[in-house]
Amino acid sequence: MNKLNQSQQLHLAPGAVFSARFTSSQLLAIKCGHVWITQQGRSEDFWLSAGDSILVQPGQLVVIEAAIASDIGMEMQGAGSLRLWCQARIVAWLHSAARSGATASKKRGIS
């Protein structure tokens, strides 16, 4: 497991796993690829692709696995991160709802 406290880039090969406990809130931005992310204390997991991002909270274990070669930007967040976290949660919820709706439509044969 890694313990990080500064902004940096992460490259993961297909199937590679990265885990860390961040010392501050981090905005994880997927630059390219497709990753699975889970965080201790959250009930849901996330599949993110290029252009997606998620805000993770400090002190909680974060695990990231790359489905394909992936680059992830990690940017430390300071004061005001609660507002960013709320925005990220709304975007994640909308993204999840859109995917669920598309899956349900496909199952019913709706285009």
Side-chain angles (χ1 to χ4, degrees):
M1 181 175 54
N2 301 288
K3 187 162 184 160
L4 303 172
N5 60 5
Q6 60 187 19
S7 300
Q8 59 183 317
Q9 295 284 329
L10 175 66
H11 175 76
L12 294 176
V17 176
F18 171 86
S19 64
R21 289 184 192 272
F22 296 101
T23 57
S24 64
S25 296
Q26 295 282 321
L27 181 65
L28 305 180
I30 312 309
K31 305 297 183 185
C32 70
H34 189 70
V35 299
W36 169 79
I37 298 178
T38 190
Q39 182 178 17
Q40 181 180 21
R42 282 188 163 172
S43 59
E44 65 276 321
D45 295 347
F46 300 92
W47 279 101
L48 302 178
S49 298
D52 293 338
S53 61
I54 188 170
L55 186 67
V56 296
Q57 296 302 304
Q60 303 296 320
L61 178 63
V62 175
V63 178
I64 304 169
E65 182 176 358
I68 60 175
S70 302
D71 290 322
I72 304 163
M74 294 184 277
E75 182 179 322
M76 187 173 19
Q77 302 295 302
S81 62
L82 178 59
R83 179 180 56 80
L84 291 171
W85 181 82
C86 290
Q87 289 174 340
R89 295 295 299 134
I90 290 168
V91 168
W93 180 81
L94 290 172
H95 194 17
S96 176
R99 285 184 178 168
S100 295
T103 302
S105 296
K106 287 180 183 177
K107 286 181 181 178
R108 291 189 300 253
I110 301 170
S111 305

PDB file of all heavy atoms in Angstrom, residues 74-95:
ATOM      1  N   MET A  74      -3.565  12.769 -10.116  1.00  0.00           N
ATOM      2  CA  MET A  74      -3.967  12.890  -8.714  1.00  0.00           C
ATOM      3  C   MET A  74      -3.622  14.289  -8.246  1.00  0.00           C
ATOM      4  O   MET A  74      -2.453  14.678  -8.258  1.00  0.00           O
ATOM      5  CB  MET A  74      -3.264  11.832  -7.869  1.00  0.00           C
ATOM      6  CG  MET A  74      -3.700  10.432  -8.214  1.00  0.00           C
ATOM      7  SD  MET A  74      -2.969   9.189  -7.151  1.00  0.00           S
ATOM      8  CE  MET A  74      -1.395   8.976  -7.963  1.00  0.00           C
ATOM      9  N   GLU A  75      -4.650  15.032  -7.859  1.00  0.00           N
ATOM     10  CA  GLU A  75      -4.454  16.416  -7.449  1.00  0.00           C
ATOM     11  C   GLU A  75      -4.955  16.614  -6.023  1.00  0.00           C
ATOM     12  O   GLU A  75      -6.116  16.362  -5.718  1.00  0.00           O
ATOM     13  CB  GLU A  75      -5.221  17.343  -8.399  1.00  0.00           C
ATOM     14  CG  GLU A  75      -5.049  18.795  -8.102  1.00  0.00           C
ATOM     15  CD  GLU A  75      -5.820  19.653  -9.089  1.00  0.00           C
ATOM     16  OE1 GLU A  75      -5.869  19.318 -10.281  1.00  0.00           O
ATOM     17  OE2 GLU A  75      -6.377  20.666  -8.635  1.00  0.00           O
ATOM     18  N   MET A  76      -4.053  17.050  -5.151  1.00  0.00           N
ATOM     19  CA  MET A  76      -4.392  17.295  -3.761  1.00  0.00           C
ATOM     20  C   MET A  76      -5.403  18.436  -3.677  1.00  0.00           C
ATOM     21  O   MET A  76      -5.279  19.441  -4.361  1.00  0.00           O
ATOM     22  CB  MET A  76      -3.134  17.638  -2.964  1.00  0.00           C
ATOM     23  CG  MET A  76      -3.365  17.748  -1.492  1.00  0.00           C
ATOM     24  SD  MET A  76      -1.858  17.951  -0.487  1.00  0.00           S
ATOM     25  CE  MET A  76      -0.621  18.489  -1.607  1.00  0.00           C
ATOM     26  N   GLN A  77      -6.415  18.261  -2.835  1.00  0.00           N
ATOM     27  CA  GLN A  77      -7.446  19.275  -2.639  1.00  0.00           C
ATOM     28  C   GLN A  77      -7.320  19.845  -1.234  1.00  0.00           C
ATOM     29  O   GLN A  77      -7.131  19.104  -0.278  1.00  0.00           O
ATOM     30  CB  GLN A  77      -8.842  18.677  -2.826  1.00  0.00           C
ATOM     31  CG  GLN A  77      -9.045  18.055  -4.189  1.00  0.00           C
ATOM     32  CD  GLN A  77      -8.988  19.078  -5.299  1.00  0.00           C
ATOM     33  OE1 GLN A  77      -9.747  20.036  -5.312  1.00  0.00           O
ATOM     34  NE2 GLN A  77      -8.070  18.879  -6.229  1.00  0.00           N
ATOM     35  N   GLY A  78      -7.460  21.141  -1.110  1.00  0.00           N
ATOM     36  CA  GLY A  78      -7.358  21.785   0.203  1.00  0.00           C
ATOM     37  C   GLY A  78      -8.713  22.209   0.713  1.00  0.00           C
ATOM     38  O   GLY A  78      -9.698  21.503   0.565  1.00  0.00           O
ATOM     39  N   ALA A  79      -8.754  23.390   1.297  1.00  0.00           N
ATOM     40  CA  ALA A  79      -9.996  23.935   1.830  1.00  0.00           C
ATOM     41  C   ALA A  79     -11.016  24.026   0.711  1.00  0.00           C
ATOM     42  O   ALA A  79     -10.697  24.286  -0.437  1.00  0.00           O
ATOM     43  CB  ALA A  79      -9.739  25.311   2.433  1.00  0.00           C
ATOM     44  N   GLY A  80     -12.260  23.805   1.041  1.00  0.00           N
ATOM     45  CA  GLY A  80     -13.316  23.844   0.043  1.00  0.00           C
ATOM     46  C   GLY A  80     -13.547  22.508  -0.618  1.00  0.00           C
ATOM     47  O   GLY A  80     -14.347  22.398  -1.540  1.00  0.00           O
ATOM     48  N   SER A  81     -12.861  21.474  -0.138  1.00  0.00           N
ATOM     49  CA  SER A  81     -13.000  20.180  -0.790  1.00  0.00           C
ATOM     50  C   SER A  81     -14.366  19.549  -0.528  1.00  0.00           C
ATOM     51  O   SER A  81     -14.797  18.702  -1.296  1.00  0.00           O
ATOM     52  CB  SER A  81     -11.879  19.225  -0.385  1.00  0.00           C
ATOM     53  OG  SER A  81     -11.920  18.967   0.982  1.00  0.00           O
ATOM     54  N   LEU A  82     -15.070  19.970   0.529  1.00  0.00           N
ATOM     55  CA  LEU A  82     -16.413  19.443   0.775  1.00  0.00           C
ATOM     56  C   LEU A  82     -17.328  19.810  -0.391  1.00  0.00           C
ATOM     57  O   LEU A  82     -18.084  18.980  -0.889  1.00  0.00           O
ATOM     58  CB  LEU A  82     -16.990  19.963   2.088  1.00  0.00           C
ATOM     59  CG  LEU A  82     -18.415  19.499   2.387  1.00  0.00           C
ATOM     60  CD1 LEU A  82     -18.478  17.978   2.452  1.00  0.00           C
ATOM     61  CD2 LEU A  82     -18.916  20.113   3.678  1.00  0.00           C
ATOM     62  N   ARG A  83     -17.227  21.046  -0.872  1.00  0.00           N
ATOM     63  CA  ARG A  83     -18.038  21.476  -2.019  1.00  0.00           C
ATOM     64  C   ARG A  83     -17.671  20.631  -3.235  1.00  0.00           C
ATOM     65  O   ARG A  83     -18.544  20.143  -3.952  1.00  0.00           O
ATOM     66  CB  ARG A  83     -17.797  22.956  -2.310  1.00  0.00           C
ATOM     67  CG  ARG A  83     -18.589  23.469  -3.515  1.00  0.00           C
ATOM     68  CD  ARG A  83     -18.328  24.943  -3.765  1.00  0.00           C
ATOM     69  NE  ARG A  83     -16.911  25.255  -3.953  1.00  0.00           N
ATOM     70  CZ  ARG A  83     -16.254  25.068  -5.096  1.00  0.00           C
ATOM     71  NH1 ARG A  83     -16.861  24.573  -6.144  1.00  0.00           N
ATOM     72  NH2 ARG A  83     -14.974  25.369  -5.188  1.00  0.00           N
ATOM     73  N   LEU A  84     -16.381  20.430  -3.468  1.00  0.00           N
ATOM     74  CA  LEU A  84     -15.951  19.606  -4.597  1.00  0.00           C
ATOM     75  C   LEU A  84     -16.412  18.164  -4.443  1.00  0.00           C
ATOM     76  O   LEU A  84     -16.826  17.526  -5.404  1.00  0.00           O
ATOM     77  CB  LEU A  84     -14.424  19.652  -4.736  1.00  0.00           C
ATOM     78  CG  LEU A  84     -13.844  20.978  -5.180  1.00  0.00           C
ATOM     79  CD1 LEU A  84     -12.328  20.946  -5.069  1.00  0.00           C
ATOM     80  CD2 LEU A  84     -14.270  21.297  -6.595  1.00  0.00           C
ATOM     81  N   TRP A  85     -16.358  17.648  -3.210  1.00  0.00           N
ATOM     82  CA  TRP A  85     -16.806  16.281  -2.954  1.00  0.00           C
ATOM     83  C   TRP A  85     -18.290  16.151  -3.283  1.00  0.00           C
ATOM     84  O   TRP A  85     -18.703  15.188  -3.934  1.00  0.00           O
ATOM     85  CB  TRP A  85     -16.548  15.890  -1.502  1.00  0.00           C
ATOM     86  CG  TRP A  85     -16.964  14.486  -1.205  1.00  0.00           C
ATOM     87  CD1 TRP A  85     -16.253  13.355  -1.451  1.00  0.00           C
ATOM     88  CD2 TRP A  85     -18.195  14.075  -0.627  1.00  0.00           C
ATOM     89  NE1 TRP A  85     -16.972  12.250  -1.052  1.00  0.00           N
ATOM     90  CE2 TRP A  85     -18.161  12.667  -0.536  1.00  0.00           C
ATOM     91  CE3 TRP A  85     -19.316  14.751  -0.161  1.00  0.00           C
ATOM     92  CZ2 TRP A  85     -19.207  11.931  -0.019  1.00  0.00           C
ATOM     93  CZ3 TRP A  85     -20.366  14.015   0.366  1.00  0.00           C
ATOM     94  CH2 TRP A  85     -20.303  12.619   0.431  1.00  0.00           C
ATOM     95  N   CYS A  86     -19.094  17.125  -2.863  1.00  0.00           N
ATOM     96  CA  CYS A  86     -20.533  17.101  -3.160  1.00  0.00           C
ATOM     97  C   CYS A  86     -20.773  17.132  -4.671  1.00  0.00           C
ATOM     98  O   CYS A  86     -21.612  16.392  -5.183  1.00  0.00           O
ATOM     99  CB  CYS A  86     -21.251  18.260  -2.472  1.00  0.00           C
ATOM    100  SG  CYS A  86     -21.346  18.084  -0.689  1.00  0.00           S
ATOM    101  N   GLN A  87     -20.045  17.986  -5.365  1.00  0.00           N
ATOM    102  CA  GLN A  87     -20.185  18.052  -6.818  1.00  0.00           C
ATOM    103  C   GLN A  87     -19.798  16.721  -7.452  1.00  0.00           C
ATOM    104  O   GLN A  87     -20.477  16.238  -8.356  1.00  0.00           O
ATOM    105  CB  GLN A  87     -19.318  19.177  -7.399  1.00  0.00           C
ATOM    106  CG  GLN A  87     -19.832  20.553  -7.076  1.00  0.00           C
ATOM    107  CD  GLN A  87     -18.873  21.645  -7.531  1.00  0.00           C
ATOM    108  OE1 GLN A  87     -17.693  21.404  -7.748  1.00  0.00           O
ATOM    109  NE2 GLN A  87     -19.387  22.848  -7.656  1.00  0.00           N
ATOM    110  N   ALA A  88     -18.710  16.130  -6.990  1.00  0.00           N
ATOM    111  CA  ALA A  88     -18.255  14.852  -7.539  1.00  0.00           C
ATOM    112  C   ALA A  88     -19.281  13.755  -7.273  1.00  0.00           C
ATOM    113  O   ALA A  88     -19.524  12.903  -8.135  1.00  0.00           O
ATOM    114  CB  ALA A  88     -16.896  14.468  -6.945  1.00  0.00           C
ATOM    115  N   ARG A  89     -19.908  13.757  -6.094  1.00  0.00           N
ATOM    116  CA  ARG A  89     -20.925  12.764  -5.754  1.00  0.00           C
ATOM    117  C   ARG A  89     -22.138  12.903  -6.669  1.00  0.00           C
ATOM    118  O   ARG A  89     -22.702  11.920  -7.120  1.00  0.00           O
ATOM    119  CB  ARG A  89     -21.362  12.890  -4.292  1.00  0.00           C
ATOM    120  CG  ARG A  89     -20.269  12.577  -3.295  1.00  0.00           C
ATOM    121  CD  ARG A  89     -19.809  11.127  -3.327  1.00  0.00           C
ATOM    122  NE  ARG A  89     -20.922  10.278  -3.014  1.00  0.00           N
ATOM    123  CZ  ARG A  89     -21.245   9.172  -3.687  1.00  0.00           C
ATOM    124  NH1 ARG A  89     -20.499   8.772  -4.675  1.00  0.00           N
ATOM    125  NH2 ARG A  89     -22.284   8.471  -3.355  1.00  0.00           N
ATOM    126  N   ILE A  90     -22.536  14.148  -6.946  1.00  0.00           N
ATOM    127  CA  ILE A  90     -23.681  14.380  -7.834  1.00  0.00           C
ATOM    128  C   ILE A  90     -23.359  13.878  -9.241  1.00  0.00           C
ATOM    129  O   ILE A  90     -24.170  13.196  -9.866  1.00  0.00           O
ATOM    130  CB  ILE A  90     -24.072  15.869  -7.839  1.00  0.00           C
ATOM    131  CG1 ILE A  90     -24.687  16.242  -6.481  1.00  0.00           C
ATOM    132  CG2 ILE A  90     -25.039  16.186  -8.979  1.00  0.00           C
ATOM    133  CD1 ILE A  90     -24.854  17.726  -6.251  1.00  0.00           C
ATOM    134  N   VAL A  91     -22.167  14.209  -9.724  1.00  0.00           N
ATOM    135  CA  VAL A  91     -21.760  13.753 -11.061  1.00  0.00           C
ATOM    136  C   VAL A  91     -21.709  12.224 -11.100  1.00  0.00           C
ATOM    137  O   VAL A  91     -22.198  11.612 -12.061  1.00  0.00           O
ATOM    138  CB  VAL A  91     -20.399  14.369 -11.456  1.00  0.00           C
ATOM    139  CG1 VAL A  91     -19.835  13.694 -12.696  1.00  0.00           C
ATOM    140  CG2 VAL A  91     -20.545  15.864 -11.670  1.00  0.00           C
ATOM    141  N   ALA A  92     -21.152  11.602 -10.075  1.00  0.00           N
ATOM    142  CA  ALA A  92     -21.074  10.141 -10.033  1.00  0.00           C
ATOM    143  C   ALA A  92     -22.470   9.527 -10.013  1.00  0.00           C
ATOM    144  O   ALA A  92     -22.739   8.537 -10.700  1.00  0.00           O
ATOM    145  CB  ALA A  92     -20.271   9.685  -8.819  1.00  0.00           C
ATOM    146  N   TRP A  93     -23.369  10.119  -9.248  1.00  0.00           N
ATOM    147  CA  TRP A  93     -24.744   9.604  -9.168  1.00  0.00           C
ATOM    148  C   TRP A  93     -25.432   9.734 -10.525  1.00  0.00           C
ATOM    149  O   TRP A  93     -26.086   8.800 -10.992  1.00  0.00           O
ATOM    150  CB  TRP A  93     -25.529  10.345  -8.095  1.00  0.00           C
ATOM    151  CG  TRP A  93     -26.928   9.845  -7.983  1.00  0.00           C
ATOM    152  CD1 TRP A  93     -27.363   8.739  -7.314  1.00  0.00           C
ATOM    153  CD2 TRP A  93     -28.088  10.417  -8.609  1.00  0.00           C
ATOM    154  NE1 TRP A  93     -28.713   8.592  -7.475  1.00  0.00           N
ATOM    155  CE2 TRP A  93     -29.182   9.605  -8.264  1.00  0.00           C
ATOM    156  CE3 TRP A  93     -28.284  11.526  -9.409  1.00  0.00           C
ATOM    157  CZ2 TRP A  93     -30.474   9.881  -8.700  1.00  0.00           C
ATOM    158  CZ3 TRP A  93     -29.579  11.795  -9.844  1.00  0.00           C
ATOM    159  CH2 TRP A  93     -30.650  10.985  -9.495  1.00  0.00           C
ATOM    160  N   LEU A  94     -25.292  10.895 -11.169  1.00  0.00           N
ATOM    161  CA  LEU A  94     -25.903  11.102 -12.485  1.00  0.00           C
ATOM    162  C   LEU A  94     -25.322  10.130 -13.507  1.00  0.00           C
ATOM    163  O   LEU A  94     -26.051   9.576 -14.341  1.00  0.00           O
ATOM    164  CB  LEU A  94     -25.694  12.548 -12.945  1.00  0.00           C
ATOM    165  CG  LEU A  94     -26.478  13.609 -12.173  1.00  0.00           C
ATOM    166  CD1 LEU A  94     -26.035  15.006 -12.592  1.00  0.00           C
ATOM    167  CD2 LEU A  94     -27.978  13.435 -12.361  1.00  0.00           C
ATOM    168  N   HIS A  95     -24.017   9.926 -13.434  1.00  0.00           N
ATOM    169  CA  HIS A  95     -23.348   9.002 -14.349  1.00  0.00           C
ATOM    170  C   HIS A  95     -23.888   7.583 -14.145  1.00  0.00           C
ATOM    171  O   HIS A  95     -24.204   6.879 -15.095  1.00  0.00           O
ATOM    172  CB  HIS A  95     -21.848   9.073 -14.104  1.00  0.00           C
ATOM    173  CG  HIS A  95     -20.988   8.442 -15.146  1.00  0.00           C
ATOM    174  ND1 HIS A  95     -21.409   8.130 -16.406  1.00  0.00           N
ATOM    175  CD2 HIS A  95     -19.685   8.074 -15.115  1.00  0.00           C
ATOM    176  CE1 HIS A  95     -20.440   7.584 -17.095  1.00  0.00           C
ATOM    177  NE2 HIS A  95     -19.380   7.537 -16.338  1.00  0.00           N
TER     178      HIS A  95
END
